[in-house]
Amino acid sequence: MQSQNVPVRVVSLAAHSGAGKTTLAEALLVQSGALLRAGRVEDGTTQGDHTDAEKTHGFSISTSVLRLPHRGTDLTLLDTPGYADFVREIRGGIRAADSVLVLVSAVSGVEVGTERVWATADRFVMPRIVVISKMDRERANFHAVLADIRASLKGPVAAAFLPVGEGPDFRGVVDVLGAEGGEVPGELRAPLREAREALVDAIVETDDELMNRYLEGEEIGPEELRGAFLRAVHAGTLYPVIPISAETGVGVPELLDLMVDGLRSASERGLVTGVDGQTREPTPDAPASARVWRVSVDPYVGKLAYIRVWSGTIRPGDTLRNTTRGVDVKPAHLYVVSGKELTEVPELRAGMIGVLTKLPELHTGDTLADPANPIEYDPLVLPDPAHTVALFPRTRQDEDRLSAAVARLLDEDPTLRFEREGQTGELLLSGMGDMHTTIAVEKLASLGVNVDTRTPQIPYRETIRASSQAQGKHRKQSGGHGQYGDCHLRLDPGEGTAFRSEVVGGAIPSKYLPSIEKGVGDAMLKGPLAGYPIQDVHVAVTHGSYHDVDSSDLAFRTAGALAFRNAVEGARPVLLEPVMLLKVRAPAQFTGDLIGDLQTRRARVQGMDPEGTVITVTAVVPQSELQTYSADLRSLTGDRGAFSVKPYGYQDLPDHLAKKVIEARKAAAAG
């Protein structure tokens, strides 16, 4: 438990997958004395990746909370996943922090995931330190990656430390501001002079008074420069770069000191603002407020709501208003967490990361506040799912349990989506990528629900490309009252569905028109080509006849369906396929591969937007061509690409593909 006077720093570790966040977290824990010996991701022994799924897959799936002391400061690290599939965890972890450590691999450089977390940090004006990791690896190149960072990431970036050696020869770091000539290896003296000039320029640009003195030729003393440097890092007006190796520990002590000296504490971030403009001081004596930034379901403890306390102090038994949902909650117990260990505490103060248990009313993004001083913070903004699988329960028991188990998943992870597709009847689970849905299916199994997954059926549609007219007459005599309905319809291609009457002279009483419309609706459910629903047809009733005794609503409904089926045969029916608007973001070096791959998917490229070393390609692509795109893009770009999709309407399916779909439907119906 933090002492009342100990400063708190909540720092998010964020990067593209594989940059070494979890390994760095272990190294920081060891350096601070919070851990005696670092665990290894490969062995499943790290403090952060402690779930069975993380140990099995060998990468972070959820954001882990790790606490460590250093020089009188309590540091809380939020080790976020690197896979873009787990964007909820990434964004939640950054939003709950006061600053960010952005890791960039010394081998791979800036990647799409780097840009994504950088943009999130920009959006919330987060101070940050850039850590060039894996400096001990073959092909590590500090200066090339530093140039890559400057070219790709917006903001004032400057090297605060330089490496002594690279690759297996990486053996130390040199403080750019504090190094003396005699302490520096000869080969570093020229690079150090250049780095110092660049860093001093960056520092004085953050302070008008220093800038004026500097431009007038005045020598700025080392202590004053150091103070201005730390203030700039603290304010987020300068992003220092430091090289490290988490494996060997080189650079880790200097990083830990920089985090304590430069990054702002929770109480120093300034006023926290609600959606209506209200503000809260981030201090323990202000009215209480907090945000739920993560929810998980523990098989033993139940539902865990991870909160960041923005203001005030929360104690067991306090009534808190969930201002997002308009309900009150009263947590009986309060916890702090480090790794998988929950520790009960008597209070949670402003700046702390805490956990509330067994409160089903809490969901990711909810705001909690003192009922006497309500406030609501902006919700987490999350992208739409990009990858979908169809679920097939293995047994009747699995089918019975599926809805409840999926509800638990959706409660834990709002980036998942579950629905029954109305046209195909399939149960569809959607997530941010194939890895996301794979993990979700594994979680279902851990909840006792086993399902198989398949590629979803494509919800094709049918439409017409010409106008056509036809009659539908329904006449039946079976003793007593018969059945009689007669109508003539004209079909025209058009956007959406429309129905109107052009009947004159009372040929069909108006009371039967709704029945004809219902009959048309019945017929549109099953098109003539492959039995798919029909869309984009305008229907006009032009003529007809009726019988005073034998006509009825049912007769005209039947006649309407018959007339539509007759007319649609002569209206040049075609098969439609759904298309998606695809946006792919990847390093520019993959542009040719991306475009070539999209061409094989019948894509229509709408634009290419280069930005630094990354390009965004926008294209309209048939849904059927994107069903394996998540895995294919990862393979194509070495896991350096990301994409999003959203529905973009329907287009004609090419004849050769339409024939295959029609034949497959006929075979399925016959079999």
Side-chain angles (χ1 to χ4, degrees):
M1 179 71 185
Q2 287 104 332
S3 165
Q4 188 73 27
N5 299 317
V6 172
V8 179
R9 279 161 179 59
V10 182
V11 184
S12 178
L13 276 65
H16 188 87
S17 179
K21 298 177 306 302
T22 300
T23 305
L24 174 57
E26 292 289 301
L28 290 169
L29 287 167
V30 170
Q31 181 63 38
S32 72
L35 191 64
L36 292 177
R37 182 166 175 254
R40 288 170 48 85
V41 173
E42 297 82 356
D43 300 335
T45 54
T46 63
Q47 296 293 297
D49 293 349
H50 56 78
T51 67
D52 291 340
E54 288 169 324
K55 292 177 182 179
T56 298
H57 291 281
F59 56 75
S60 300
I61 293 169
S62 57
T63 296
S64 57
V65 182
L66 303 166
R67 297 173 59 233
L68 57 106
H70 185 64
R71 287 175 35 210
T73 298
D74 277 319
L75 284 164
T76 298
L77 303 179
L78 306 182
D79 178 15
T80 66
Y83 269 104
D85 286 16
F86 308 109
V87 62
R88 167 191 67 105
E89 297 281 349
I90 298 168
R91 292 190 182 179
I94 292 176
R95 291 300 309 278
D98 297 302
S99 50
V100 188
L101 290 187
V102 179
L103 275 67
V104 184
S105 165
V107 177
S108 304
V110 173
E111 303 183 81
V112 169
T114 320
E115 293 202 317
R116 185 180 298 109
V117 298
W118 194 269
T120 301
D122 273 344
R123 189 177 308 128
F124 302 111
V125 198
M126 305 283 277
R128 66 208 78 161
I129 295 172
V130 182
V131 180
I132 296 184
S133 61
K134 301 190 175 183
M135 283 295 302
D136 59 317
R137 300 291 179 89
E138 294 284 354
R139 297 184 296 110
N141 190 324
F142 175 82
H143 292 285
V145 172
L146 180 60
D148 189 15
I149 291 167
R150 286 173 170 155
S152 307
L153 306 177
K154 295 187 300 181
V157 175
F161 292 84
L162 292 184
V164 180
E166 291 184 327
D169 188 42
F170 178 56
R171 58 192 184 277
V173 297
V174 173
D175 185 342
V176 170
L177 281 183
E180 299 296 335
E183 301 173 356
V184 179
E187 71 274 12
L188 265 185
R189 289 180 183 172
L192 182 61
R193 279 196 301 271
E194 292 178 15
R196 193 176 195 283
E197 288 176 8
L199 181 56
V200 170
D201 285 346
I203 292 169
V204 298
E205 284 180 6
T206 68
D207 187 310
D208 289 342
E209 182 191 351
L210 276 185
M211 172 68 85
N212 291 332
R213 290 164 53 194
Y214 184 67
L215 292 176
E216 290 170 2
E218 182 179 338
E219 184 74 24
I220 310 297
E223 290 303 317
E224 195 169 6
L225 268 179
R226 170 70 62 179
F229 165 73
L230 294 176
R231 287 194 300 274
V233 176
H234 181 283
T237 54
L238 175 60
Y239 308 138
V241 180
I242 178 171
I244 65 113
S245 165
E247 290 281 0
T248 65
V250 175
V252 174
E254 290 81 359
L255 172 60
L256 199 51
D257 284 339
L258 183 57
M259 291 167 65
V260 169
D261 292 334
L263 296 180
R264 67 188 180 189
S265 70
S267 62
E268 294 168 329
R269 64 173 293 135
L271 294 173
V272 193
T273 305
V275 294
D276 62 355
Q278 283 192 75
T279 58
R280 290 287 183 273
E281 290 277 359
T283 57
D285 54 357
S289 69
R291 179 195 275 114
V292 180
W293 60 273
R294 178 173 185 262
V295 166
S296 70
V297 180
D298 184 276
Y300 305 106
V301 181
K303 188 172 184 177
L304 305 176
Y306 291 71
I307 66 170
R308 162 64 193 258
V309 184
W310 291 114
S311 64
T313 301
I314 299 173
R315 297 180 178 86
D318 285 353
T319 297
L320 298 170
R321 174 74 42 82
N322 182 338
T323 54
T324 306
R325 302 179 186 274
V327 297
D328 288 348
V329 297
K330 187 179 289 189
H333 304 277
L334 308 174
Y335 301 89
V336 293
V337 61
S338 189
K340 61 182 178 181
E341 300 298 326
L342 287 177
T343 303
E344 189 165 2
V345 293
E347 63 182 19
L348 293 171
R349 296 187 319 282
M352 294 178 66
I353 298 292
V355 175
L356 309 181
T357 61
K358 300 177 181 177
L359 294 173
E361 306 88 351
L362 299 186
H363 305 271
T364 301
D366 286 357
T367 298
L368 299 176
D370 176 359
N373 296 276
I375 190 172
E376 183 178 352
Y377 297 120
D378 56 311
L380 291 174
V381 178
L382 299 169
D384 293 327
H387 179 75
T388 300
V389 293
L391 303 184
F392 294 87
R394 292 179 184 172
T395 68
R396 182 60 182 269
Q397 190 176 47
D398 291 323
E399 184 176 353
D400 292 341
R401 293 176 175 175
L402 180 62
S403 293
V406 167
R408 289 183 66 176
L409 289 191
L410 300 182
D411 191 23
E412 184 176 30
D413 187 350
T415 56
L416 289 171
R417 195 169 293 167
F418 181 73
E419 61 184 353
R420 182 183 292 275
E421 214 291 325
Q423 184 174 321
T424 66
E426 289 182 316
L427 299 172
L428 302 182
L429 180 68
S430 302
M432 303 313 301
D434 63 321
M435 190 60 66
H436 193 197
T437 54
T438 296
I439 298 298
V441 168
E442 291 176 4
K443 287 186 177 180
L444 285 176
S446 72
L447 294 172
V449 178
N450 295 297
V451 298
D452 294 317
T453 62
R454 298 177 202 162
T455 300
Q457 297 178 42
I458 300 299
Y460 294 103
R461 299 282 177 87
E462 300 182 23
T463 193
I464 61 173
R465 290 290 179 248
S467 297
S468 177
Q469 298 188 58
Q471 178 185 17
K473 179 179 284 190
H474 176 65
R475 177 188 293 165
K476 189 172 183 181
Q477 195 70 40
S478 57
H481 286 306
Q483 296 181 37
Y484 184 89
D486 173 28
C487 65
H488 296 247
L489 301 182
R490 185 183 71 248
L491 310 186
D492 297 301
E495 188 172 338
T497 301
F499 179 89
R500 69 179 185 278
S501 171
E502 296 178 358
V503 176
V504 294
I508 301 176
S510 59
K511 66 180 181 179
Y512 293 129
L513 292 173
S515 297
I516 296 173
E517 185 174 5
K518 288 178 182 176
V520 168
D522 295 340
M524 290 182 72
L525 293 175
K526 198 170 182 180
L529 297 177
Y532 290 108
I534 301 173
Q535 67 179 38
D536 296 334
V537 177
H538 291 192
V539 181
V541 186
T542 59
H543 189 58
S545 62
Y546 72 102
H547 189 279
D548 287 331
V549 175
D550 292 345
S551 288
S552 66
D553 288 328
L554 178 59
F556 271 101
R557 182 169 181 169
T558 305
L562 182 60
F564 185 88
R565 293 191 189 101
N566 291 338
V568 81
E569 293 283 358
R572 279 181 45 213
V574 296
L575 210 56
L576 299 175
E577 63 177 339
V579 292
M580 313 296 283
L581 183 66
L582 169 74
K583 289 192 176 183
V584 191
R585 192 169 172 82
Q589 70 199 66
F590 295 108
T591 302
D593 294 332
L594 290 174
I595 298 300
D597 177 71
L598 288 173
Q599 287 172 343
T600 69
R601 299 176 190 271
R602 301 188 287 122
R604 290 176 285 136
V605 175
Q606 307 290 295
M608 292 184 284
D609 182 19
E611 185 179 343
T613 59
V614 171
I615 190 164
T616 299
V617 179
T618 303
V620 175
V621 193
Q623 180 181 332
S624 61
E625 303 286 353
L626 291 176
Q627 294 187 305
T628 62
Y629 195 66
S630 180
D632 293 345
L633 180 65
R634 189 162 56 246
S635 174
L636 188 68
T637 64
D639 194 29
R640 300 179 69 188
F643 76 103
S644 65
V645 294
K646 64 180 180 180
Y648 200 69
Y650 279 78
Q651 67 180 20
D652 287 16
L653 184 65
D655 288 344
H656 69 287
L657 296 177
K659 287 179 183 177
K660 291 182 179 179
V661 171
I662 293 168
E663 289 171 2
R665 289 281 280 188
K666 287 180 179 177

